Amino acid sequence: MRNSKMASHLSHFTHKTSFFTSNPRRPSPPCMSVVLSTAPTQSYWASIDAQIDAYLNKSIPIRSPESVFEPMHHLTFAAPRTTAASLCVAACEPAIHLMHAAAYTHEHLPLTDRPRPRPGIQHKYNPNIELLTGDGIIPFGLELLARSLDPARSNPDKILRVIVEITRATGSQGMVDGQYQELGLDQLGSEYDVIEYVCKKKEGELHACGAACGAILGGGAEEEIESLRRFGLYAGMVQGIQGKNKAGFMEEKIEKFKELALKELESLQGKKTELISSLVEPSLAAVQIS
Amino acid sequence: MRNSKMASHLSHFTHKTSFFTSNPRRPSPPCMSVVLSTAPTQSYWASIDAQIDAYLNKSIPIRSPESVFEPMHHLTFAAPRTTAASLCVAACEPAIHLMHAAAYTHEHLPLTDRPRPRPGIQHKYNPNIELLTGDGIIPFGLELLARSLDPARSNPDKILRVIVEITRATGSQGMVDGQYQELGLDQLGSEYDVIEYVCKKKEGELHACGAACGAILGGGAEEEIESLRRFGLYAGMVQGIQGKNKAGFMEEKIEKFKELALKELESLQGKKTELISSLVEPSLAAVQIS
């Protein structure tokens, strides 16, 4: 991908008011910059998803060799959306979605010790192609990020910091650990303990990473970065647990994590947090900010 | 991994004379810095391998959760050495070896459409674990690199450039493309055409990347970077073709690429290139430099 494409993508976001910028005339940094919007919340999140899709569509054209790029394009969009990416708009959201898409593809790969496809999963490609495509998507996501320096605001240290955040959250200490535990490879305790741990490692830490990256690139102070990271962790865990079959038995946990998430946002006094709080509290979806 | 570990690793290399440093009193940059050595060539390469191993051993301790880190440790060392990593010493050689180890692990993964293990390959873990471990190794390699800033010579732009080099060489445009073609997913032409293309994409571009990264981090000029990149490409292709069963039928190709590799080194006049030239021309192994 050429730098010009990335630059135009970044500028696409930067006309909006930043989460961390109180003076609207100061140019906003390229991240966390669409937290304010005149649209209602639902269409706000949908519009972020549409922007991510448009960007990924441009970044992964179906070009030669088609046997490589066609599956890459398809499998990127076959993974369901994760709101973790939306927490961190612009420079790193495609990277987070791509890491998630690679993990999703490999999670559903038919291996010899899990030969039957999971119910409801359609495989468009044979396992060889799905394996290799996932392997190609991971470095591609990080390549996009490493190339994403906007010359006008060049800050390679921040990009490196965000690369460390994303590699940790998606690697052996984060998402991969959650996938291990989901396969029952360790004995962590009761079924509910396992669900909680898996949701922390998978959805939780990915959302924590998205929120922290947004805050880092958006120029947040260290305590804001950590507060948004905790918000992301709890919001992701709420989503993760709600997505499990056993969610009905874990209402107390869900309420606890919702409360913790909203409490983190309260600590960010003076920041306009209504829209991101709607990730855990849909009742706030009606709030419209101009 | 803590920064101190990486810093001590870097300093371990920097007492040696750099490829790009003609004045021995000028501190050498952290890459391409062991091209000169008083040892004969064979033990020179062995000593680089030993240094990479020692560093990876420290970086991937077998710690909790052991179900995650024990296979990661094992599969990192189970992959055969690639000299691509040795072309780029210090900051990025562990990253290149880890990307190679992940690819090697996934290449030998028993999938439902290639269920029988390849002859000679011992699988210590079940496919689930090997898949996830490879998925963890890729981001870990890039994390090491993104964290590898030596505060004394901090140059985040160079690290980002090297990340782009490595993600491209190991992703869909490089190694993954070679793996696709090796599986016969496209029709490229004759059997020999396929071997040449696969060796270019796999061994060739990985060695090109290693040499270019070494030159970038070592402070080489742009034309030196490109010249070493081409050297790495040809040297890697020679190794790749020699490693195939059909090598006996491709002697002409091998000789052509050896010649091209050595010609690139000639263009680096005044640099001491005898040791890296021994990658393609073992007869030079007897040359001992002090």
Side-chain angles (χ1 to χ4, degrees):
Chain A
M1 202 207 43
R2 283 189 299 274
N3 280 334
S4 59
K5 274 194 190 165
M6 176 61 87
S8 79
H9 172 68
L10 288 178
S11 68
H12 182 64
F13 286 101
T14 48
H15 71 281
K16 291 170 184 162
T17 310
S18 166
F19 185 75
F20 291 108
T21 308
S22 48
N23 176 355
R25 273 173 300 183
R26 188 179 132 202
S28 64
C31 219
M32 289 303 282
S33 54
V34 290
V35 170
L36 301 184
S37 155
T38 52
T41 311
Q42 207 171 2
S43 64
Y44 160 75
W45 291 112
S47 102
I48 292 190
D49 277 349
Q51 287 168 342
I52 296 177
D53 281 0
Y55 177 67
L56 286 170
N57 246 318
K58 265 198 240 170
S59 306
I60 314 177
I62 300 176
R63 60 192 166 89
S64 178
E66 227 173 271
S67 57
V68 175
F69 285 99
E70 203 274 328
M72 190 164 173
H73 186 97
H74 176 85
L75 292 168
T76 296
F77 293 100
R81 293 293 161 274
T82 168
T83 43
S86 312
L87 277 174
C88 172
V89 179
C92 57
E93 93 283 56
I96 292 177
H97 178 75
L98 286 166
M99 303 299 269
H100 159 76
Y104 183 85
T105 300
H106 282 182
E107 226 172 273
H108 297 94
L109 196 64
L111 296 168
T112 51
D113 56 350
R114 43 167 144 134
R116 274 167 304 183
R118 297 196 190 179
I121 298 297
Q122 296 291 326
H123 289 276
K124 191 174 167 192
Y125 306 99
N126 72 38
N128 268 319
I129 293 183
E130 295 204 353
L131 172 66
L132 288 177
T133 303
D135 286 348
I137 289 175
I138 301 173
F140 181 66
L142 295 164
E143 182 193 341
L144 280 185
L145 194 49
R147 292 169 78 97
S148 70
L149 277 185
D150 179 345
R153 333 173 188 278
S154 177
N155 193 331
D157 287 311
K158 280 187 185 171
I159 301 280
L160 283 173
R161 189 169 168 189
V162 160
I163 289 175
V164 172
E165 291 282 346
I166 294 178
T167 50
R168 289 180 73 99
T170 57
S172 301
Q173 294 173 67
M175 213 154 61
V176 168
D177 183 16
Q179 290 173 308
Y180 266 85
Q181 309 312 332
E182 200 165 29
L183 290 167
L185 301 174
D186 278 340
Q187 282 305 323
L188 284 173
S190 79
E191 184 184 7
Y192 301 124
D193 291 339
V194 174
I195 290 176
E196 185 175 334
Y197 187 84
V198 167
C199 292
K200 178 176 177 238
K201 287 288 162 184
K202 286 178 69 180
E203 293 86 354
E205 294 190 3
L206 195 65
H207 282 76
C209 165
C213 289
I216 290 166
L217 292 172
E222 289 302 319
E223 70 268 20
E224 290 171 329
I225 294 168
E226 294 313 313
S227 190
L228 277 165
R229 184 197 303 282
R230 286 189 295 270
F231 166 77
L233 179 72
Y234 300 133
M237 288 180 77
V238 168
Q239 281 209 356
I241 298 172
Q242 282 176 336
K244 304 276 175 203
N245 287 335
K246 304 284 171 186
F249 297 90
M250 294 179 79
E251 282 310 319
E252 252 178 63
K253 286 278 180 197
I254 291 173
E255 286 312 310
K256 184 185 115 192
F257 292 128
K258 271 188 188 175
E259 205 175 292
L260 285 167
L262 294 172
K263 208 171 147 192
E264 286 302 330
L265 290 189
E266 276 167 30
S267 73
L268 291 163
Q269 286 179 344
K271 308 286 176 187
K272 294 185 176 157
T273 55
E274 290 85 348
L275 273 163
I276 58 170
S277 72
S278 70
L279 264 185
V280 287
E281 202 56 281
S283 61
L284 291 169
V287 179
Q288 196 168 325
I289 322 168
S290 62
Chain B
M1 202 206 45
R2 283 189 299 274
N3 279 336
S4 60
K5 274 194 193 165
M6 176 61 88
S8 79
H9 172 67
L10 288 179
S11 67
H12 183 63
F13 286 101
T14 48
H15 70 280
K16 290 170 185 160
T17 310
S18 166
F19 185 75
F20 291 108
T21 308
S22 49
N23 176 356
R25 272 172 303 182
R26 191 180 129 203
S28 64
C31 220
M32 290 302 283
S33 53
V34 289
V35 170
L36 301 183
S37 156
T38 53
T41 313
Q42 206 170 4
S43 65
Y44 159 76
W45 291 113
S47 103
I48 293 189
D49 278 348
Q51 287 168 342
I52 296 177
D53 281 1
Y55 176 68
L56 287 170
N57 246 318
K58 264 199 240 170
S59 306
I60 314 177
I62 300 175
R63 59 193 167 88
S64 179
E66 228 174 89
S67 58
V68 175
F69 285 99
E70 203 274 326
M72 190 163 172
H73 187 94
H74 176 86
L75 292 168
T76 295
F77 293 100
R81 293 293 161 274
T82 167
T83 42
S86 311
L87 278 174
C88 172
V89 180
C92 57
E93 95 283 55
I96 292 177
H97 178 75
L98 287 165
M99 303 300 270
H100 159 76
Y104 183 84
T105 300
H106 283 181
E107 225 172 273
H108 297 94
L109 196 65
L111 296 167
T112 52
D113 56 350
R114 44 168 143 135
R116 276 168 304 182
R118 297 198 190 180
I121 297 297
Q122 297 290 327
H123 289 275
K124 190 173 168 191
Y125 307 100
N126 73 37
N128 269 320
I129 293 183
E130 295 204 354
L131 172 66
L132 288 176
T133 303
D135 286 348
I137 289 176
I138 301 173
F140 181 65
L142 295 164
E143 181 193 340
L144 280 186
L145 195 49
R147 293 168 77 97
S148 70
L149 276 186
D150 178 347
R153 335 172 186 277
S154 176
N155 193 330
D157 287 310
K158 280 188 185 170
I159 301 280
L160 283 173
R161 188 168 167 190
V162 161
I163 289 175
V164 172
E165 290 281 347
I166 295 178
T167 51
R168 288 180 73 98
T170 57
S172 301
Q173 293 172 66
M175 214 154 61
V176 168
D177 183 16
Q179 291 173 307
Y180 265 85
Q181 308 313 333
E182 200 165 29
L183 291 167
L185 301 173
D186 277 342
Q187 282 305 324
L188 283 175
S190 79
E191 186 184 4
Y192 301 124
D193 292 339
V194 174
I195 290 177
E196 184 175 336
Y197 187 85
V198 167
C199 292
K200 177 177 178 234
K201 287 289 162 183
K202 287 178 70 182
E203 292 87 353
E205 293 190 4
L206 195 66
H207 282 76
C209 164
C213 289
I216 290 166
L217 293 172
E222 289 303 318
E223 71 268 19
E224 290 172 328
I225 295 168
E226 293 314 313
S227 190
L228 278 164
R229 184 198 303 284
R230 285 189 297 268
F231 166 76
L233 178 71
Y234 300 133
M237 288 180 77
V238 168
Q239 282 208 355
I241 298 172
Q242 281 177 335
K244 304 276 175 204
N245 288 334
K246 302 285 171 186
F249 298 89
M250 295 178 79
E251 282 309 320
E252 252 179 63
K253 286 278 179 197
I254 291 173
E255 286 311 311
K256 185 185 114 192
F257 291 129
K258 271 188 188 174
E259 203 176 293
L260 286 167
L262 294 173
K263 206 171 148 192
E264 285 304 330
L265 291 190
E266 276 168 29
S267 74
L268 291 163
Q269 288 179 341
K271 308 286 177 187
K272 296 185 177 156
T273 54
E274 289 85 349
L275 274 162
I276 58 171
S277 73
S278 70
L279 265 185
V280 287
E281 202 58 280
S283 62
L284 290 169
V287 178
Q288 195 167 327
I289 322 168
S290 63

